[in-house]
Each structure stands twice: as C-alpha cells, then as structure tokens.
Amino acid sequence: MSATRLSGPPATPLGREIARLIALEGPMPVERYMELCLGHPTMGYYITRNPFGADGDFITAPDISQIFGELIGLWCAEVWRMMGGPRDLHLVELGPGRGALIADALRAARVAPQFRSAVRLSLVETSPVLRQLQRQALSAEGELSSIPVAWRNHLGEVPEGPMILIANEFFDALPVRQYQRAPDGWRERLVGLAPDGGLIFGLAPEAEPALDELPGDEGAIMEIPVAAINMVAGLADRLRRFGGAALIIDYGHAVSAVGDTLQAVRRHQYVHPLSTPGEADITAHVDFGALARAALARGVVVDGPVEQGAFLRALGANARAEQLKRNAREAQRRVIDEGLRRLTSSEAGGMGALFKVMAVAASQLGPLPGLAPRREAPHMPQPSIVRALRRPS
C-alpha cells in the first residue's frame, strides 16, 4: 500500500464506531479490524448490502458465466459417485453470494438424478440480504421444491454425515493477522488513531516471540491466516470422520511468502483499506500453502492447488462453451466467448492464473477430477506457530 494512514476522522458510521473502540481500548489488530468491517452485526459490509455484480462492488466467477457453476455441479456429482454414492449427502456452500453458483450447479446436476436425490443442501450465510437473493435464485430454478435447503450461520450447524463443500471466494474474506519485521523481531500490525482522529496503521510495542525464527528483511510484512487455518483444520476433521471433499477456489498464492496483500474494493475500484470501513470489501490473498499444511496435519489428503483456468478446461469448459453457442445468436456467442476468456485466461483481466483451485478430501478418495498433484501426510499436530498465536476471538 502507498500509505499507512488517512487524514481526518473516519467518514462512515462503522469507521466512527471503530475509532471510538480504539479510543476506549487502544489500537486493535488488523485481524479485528477486518472482522468488524466485514461482519459487524449492524454495520458490517456483508450484513448490510448486496456487493455482487455490476451494480455492486465486484464481480465473481458465477456472475461472469453459467459455465463456472455448471462444471462445479458436475464435479460434485462425480465426487459423490467416487464416494460410493451415499444415500444422504450434505452439499454445502460457504458464502453463496447471490446464489448463482449453486443454482447453476444444481441445474447442471439434473443429468445425475441419483446424486440430486441424495443432496441435502446447506447454505452457510449470515447476511439477511444475501439469504433472500439466494432464495430467489433457487426459486427461479425450481430447486426449493425439489431439494431440501437450509440456511446455516456457520459450518458447525450442518448435521453430521458425508459432505461435499464448495467455497468460492470465501477464504479471502476471512481475517488475517499481519506482522511487520522490526529491528527486534516481528511485531503485530495494528490499527490505531492519529492525532487528527484518523485511522492509522502502527505496530505492537513488543515483538511476537513465536515468530522469532521466521526470516524477513526489516519492514517486510507477513500475513498469517489463523482463522482460515483453524477452519480448514476443523473441516478436515469432519471429512476424515464422515467422508467427502471440499473444493476451495480463490485468488491467492500456492506457496507461502512474505508480502502485504490486504486490499479493499469499492464500486469496482481499489481504495485504501482504512478509508471506508463497512462500505468496502476488505480481503487478503489466500495462502494455499498454509491451508494445505493445516489439512495434511489432520490426516486428510490435498489435491492441488492448480490454476483455475487449467481446472475448468480439464472439466470441459471449452466443450461446454461450444455447446452453448450452437443455438445462440452472434451477440450471445460473443458473450459466451468473453465469459470463457475471463474465467480461464492468464492474460490481463483474466482469472485463469490468479485464481487457484484446491481440494481437501478424506483419504479413501482417489485423485479428484481436474486436480493434481496429490499430497498426503501422516497425522501430526497443528503447526506450532499457529498454536502459539491462538487467542480468544
């Protein structure tokens, strides 16, 4: 980021509330700041609005082309078959957005009626606004009358049993802890108040001893996704116990690395992360390496990560696009081609390389469609750094 602070008091209601909390309690970790910006019970970004689409703040893959959700639906049906076709299957989506992905997935899965009859759908969503949009999307496809659907506040509410889980652009919104290398070690990055009342980045007064051995030049910033790591560990425990797989799709890096990836988007433009709390989407790139290590430590297997473009092409994205174009008008053909390009291309404006796809699965499942290589590891404790950094939320 180009600056660590903004001038003047925050302009948004949530910004003023955060400033008040800092004045009362002292500077807060970046992790806590992200939690409040995205999930404050009355002023949080995802609680108060529909951020998706051209009229929102950003566009996700299901909004670009129906091909994305359709291929994921067929992927789920094939994984269910690989699981032995359990009679009851919990199909779960974390953060379903406007419901486009799951609606497209279930429509495509009509070619696998036995899979659809096994599905018990759980949508993990806390936003009342988005829950209503998801209900409308499923109603438009006729799915509410044919498949049992329940909305959950968190994954722990999903009943026990075999599960296939989808998480598209979910993990990037989980809060991360940031640390900056100082002369005496890694200090946690905090959000505090400047003399003029504005929000400002600063550092904790003391270094974190758990990070002493980690390399990094002075001034470097490191992100540790403790919330995401703990979620993947719990997810892996469930998959190991009941069977199934989880498909994680997000922008990020396959190998853990030092760097500041905290970013905010408002009306399709990047803004300073401290500028409009509660009115901009705040995310960080997903550390797929850290998530894979957390999963492997719990005795499950990991396929990938691979680039999204390679994953979709392996599942038949090009063939599906050609099929859709057969009875389409010329203008529709151009839209289909452009959607496919955006989903699979590694060129400017494409999601094909920036976005990665990784699956976590019960060890009895063979290699999953579209993903390679496979990683396995014996059961081992959770990484010591994460244990040392754990604190009450």
Side-chain angles (χ1 to χ4, degrees), residues 317-337:
N318 292 346
R320 177 55 177 155
E322 290 302 315
Q323 186 181 48
L324 289 172
K325 287 160 58 177
R326 285 174 193 162
N327 298 316
R329 295 186 295 273
E330 183 59 31
Q332 292 172 320
R333 293 191 190 101
R334 289 195 295 269
V335 170
I336 293 167
D337 285 338

Side-chain angles (χ1 to χ4, degrees), residues 205-256:
E206 297 180 355
E208 174 54 67
L211 306 180
D212 280 346
E213 301 304 316
L214 297 183
D217 297 330
E218 186 173 340
I221 291 177
M222 173 174 53
E223 294 169 346
I224 300 183
V226 175
I229 288 170
N230 287 338
M231 170 166 269
V232 166
L235 175 60
D237 287 342
R238 171 172 177 143
L239 294 174
R240 191 181 67 248
R241 184 179 177 192
F242 297 109
L247 188 68
I248 301 171
I249 307 171
D250 228 310
Y251 52 87
H253 39 276
V255 179
S256 300

Side-chain angles (χ1 to χ4, degrees), residues 114-257:
Q114 291 180 315
F115 164 71
R116 280 175 52 91
S117 67
V119 164
R120 306 293 181 264
L121 182 61
S122 286
L123 301 179
V124 178
E125 179 62 71
T126 58
S127 166
V129 174
L130 294 179
R131 283 190 177 194
Q132 182 57 31
L133 291 174
Q134 293 153 18
R135 187 173 285 107
Q136 291 171 3
L138 291 171
S139 296
E141 295 291 340
E143 304 298 355
L144 288 179
S145 61
S146 60
I147 291 178
V149 183
W151 276 264
R152 318 284 186 184
N153 290 311
H154 53 81
L155 182 58
E157 293 181 354
V158 178
E160 294 181 344
M163 176 178 72
I164 295 176
L165 179 140
I166 305 163
N168 178 58
E169 291 201 53
F170 174 83
F171 278 88
D172 65 278
L174 294 181
V176 299
R177 297 186 195 175
Q178 286 194 321
Y179 296 85
Q180 186 167 337
R181 186 76 178 187
D184 60 343
W186 292 97
R187 295 192 186 191
E188 185 162 18
R189 207 173 187 211
L190 307 176
V191 177
L193 291 179
D196 64 2
L199 299 178
I200 185 172
F201 285 119
L203 298 180
E206 297 180 355
E208 174 54 67
L211 306 180
D212 280 346
E213 301 304 316
L214 297 183
D217 297 330
E218 186 173 340
I221 291 177
M222 173 174 53
E223 294 169 346
I224 300 183
V226 175
I229 288 170
N230 287 338
M231 170 166 269
V232 166
L235 175 60
D237 287 342
R238 171 172 177 143
L239 294 174
R240 191 181 67 248
R241 184 179 177 192
F242 297 109
L247 188 68
I248 301 171
I249 307 171
D250 228 310
Y251 52 87
H253 39 276
V255 179
S256 300

Side-chain angles (χ1 to χ4, degrees), residues 43-57:
M43 294 179 281
Y45 178 76
Y46 281 109
I47 302 300
T48 59
R49 70 198 65 226
N50 166 24
F52 302 95
D55 296 331
D57 294 315

Side-chain angles (χ1 to χ4, degrees), residues 68-124:
F68 185 81
E70 289 173 346
L71 294 180
I72 289 177
L74 297 178
W75 186 91
C76 291
E78 175 60 14
V79 172
W80 171 81
R81 185 196 65 78
M82 294 172 65
M83 293 167 60
R87 185 175 61 182
D88 293 317
L89 174 79
H90 294 292
L91 180 60
V92 180
E93 186 177 3
L94 302 180
R98 297 193 298 185
L101 188 159
I102 197 63
D104 289 340
L106 292 174
R107 183 184 65 253
R110 289 173 184 168
V111 301
Q114 291 180 315
F115 164 71
R116 280 175 52 91
S117 67
V119 164
R120 306 293 181 264
L121 182 61
S122 286
L123 301 179
V124 178

Side-chain angles (χ1 to χ4, degrees), residues 347-364:
E347 298 176 356
M351 304 168 68
L354 175 61
F355 279 70
K356 310 296 189 298
V357 184
M358 186 177 82
V360 177
S363 58
Q364 60 266 35

